[in-house]
Amino acid sequence: GVGDKVRSAWLLSETEHYMRIANAQLGLAGDVDVAQTALSLADESLRELNEPRMTPVRRLLADEVNALKAVPRPDTEGIVLTLGSLADSLDTLPLKVTVPGGFRVPPVPPAEPLTGFERALAAGRAALASLVSIRRVDDPVSPLLPEAEQNVLIRSLDLELQLARLAIMRGDAGMYRRSVAAAAERLQEHFDVTSPDVQSAVESLTTLSTAQLPEELPDISSSLTALLRITEVEGPVK
């Protein structure tokens, strides 16, 4: 009767609604979990409808749900919190070298009269101080950075960390990896890697770079397209 038609129309409308939510959440927000839940609810509505013409749609839904289950689920919240903590600590991390604001020669107190023994001792000290020790250094010498360039370096590093946070929230694996790699490279190049704090920051970035991220999200629009084709071309469910 009329009640069955109304119920069928409602279930179809509910199914389409869930499918559109799934596509919007996956495409705009990259939320795999919400998309998977929405598609499962759409399949439940079609199962309750019990319409043979919807069997191909349910088959597509099953494929799309399985594809979403295979998508890696990184700990997005944990990654974002770690990146934020690193960004907050940048101002406290020691750089390799610093340049003082100015140079001043300390005043030399006037020399006092020396005894014969003191003059001999002073001559010995001067001779020792004149010795030159030559040591070969294979590591490249880091240039001195003035204070203004230090600030630019820290702000650029902070920008890379913020880009990584944005990328992980948007599900952009490529941008995330590039930003984390750039941040780690600048830390190792310009900061004092002998400092425990800098070593800890580098280790954190190394761990973050190994996070399993989805390279590409699956296409889940086929089931919605099939549903619309059946309802619009073949007519509503009787």
Side-chain angles (χ1 to χ4, degrees):
V2 176
D4 291 337
K5 291 183 179 180
V6 172
R7 175 176 174 275
S8 297
W10 170 260
L11 289 173
L12 278 178
S13 177
E14 188 177 57
T15 300
E16 180 181 344
H17 176 68
Y18 285 137
M19 289 179 174
R20 292 190 183 277
I21 288 179
N23 280 271
Q25 287 296 318
L26 188 65
L28 299 179
D31 197 326
V32 179
D33 292 328
V34 172
Q36 181 180 329
T37 301
L39 289 186
S40 298
L41 291 173
D43 185 66
E44 290 181 9
S45 297
L46 289 181
R47 179 176 58 82
E48 187 176 353
L49 179 63
N50 194 24
E51 167 59 44
R53 287 192 299 166
M54 295 297 165
T55 299
V57 179
R58 294 195 64 189
R59 186 180 300 113
L60 291 172
L61 277 173
D63 293 339
E64 292 168 356
V65 169
N66 287 332
L68 291 176
K69 289 180 179 179
V71 174
R73 261 65 161 195
D75 182 12
T76 302
E77 182 179 3
I79 293 175
V80 169
L81 292 175
T82 302
L83 290 170
S85 176
L86 289 174
D88 293 338
S89 67
L90 291 180
D91 291 327
T92 63
L93 297 180
L95 292 165
K96 282 188 175 180
V97 287
T98 57
V99 176
F103 296 91
R104 184 179 61 179
V105 179
V108 179
E112 297 181 356
L114 300 178
T115 65
F117 175 76
E118 290 174 340
R119 284 196 299 270
L121 183 60
R125 288 174 178 172
L128 291 175
S130 65
L131 296 178
V132 178
S133 176
I134 300 177
R135 180 170 59 94
R136 178 177 179 179
V137 178
D138 294 328
D139 297 333
V141 178
S142 300
L144 298 176
L145 292 178
E147 184 176 357
E149 292 187 16
Q150 293 177 21
N151 293 332
V152 172
L153 172 63
I154 293 175
R155 296 287 73 82
S156 65
L157 184 54
D158 179 70
L159 177 61
E160 293 294 350
L161 295 176
Q162 299 305 329
L163 287 175
R165 295 177 68 183
L166 177 62
I168 192 66
M169 289 187 291
R170 294 183 55 186
D172 191 336
M175 177 185 292
Y176 171 81
R177 290 196 177 91
R178 288 192 297 271
S179 298
V180 171
E185 182 180 355
R186 291 180 185 178
L187 269 178
Q188 294 174 328
E189 181 179 358
H190 298 289
F191 287 77
D192 184 6
V193 292
T194 63
S195 166
D197 292 336
V198 176
Q199 291 176 2
S200 177
V202 173
E203 291 174 0
S204 296
L205 288 173
T206 301
T207 301
L208 293 177
S209 66
T210 62
Q212 295 294 323
L213 304 178
E215 298 297 334
E216 185 177 357
L217 295 176
D219 181 11
I220 60 172
S221 62
S222 298
S223 59
L224 177 60
T225 301
L227 177 70
L228 295 176
R229 182 174 61 250
I230 292 175
T231 56
E232 294 176 2
V233 176
E234 299 182 15
V237 176
K238 298 180 181 179

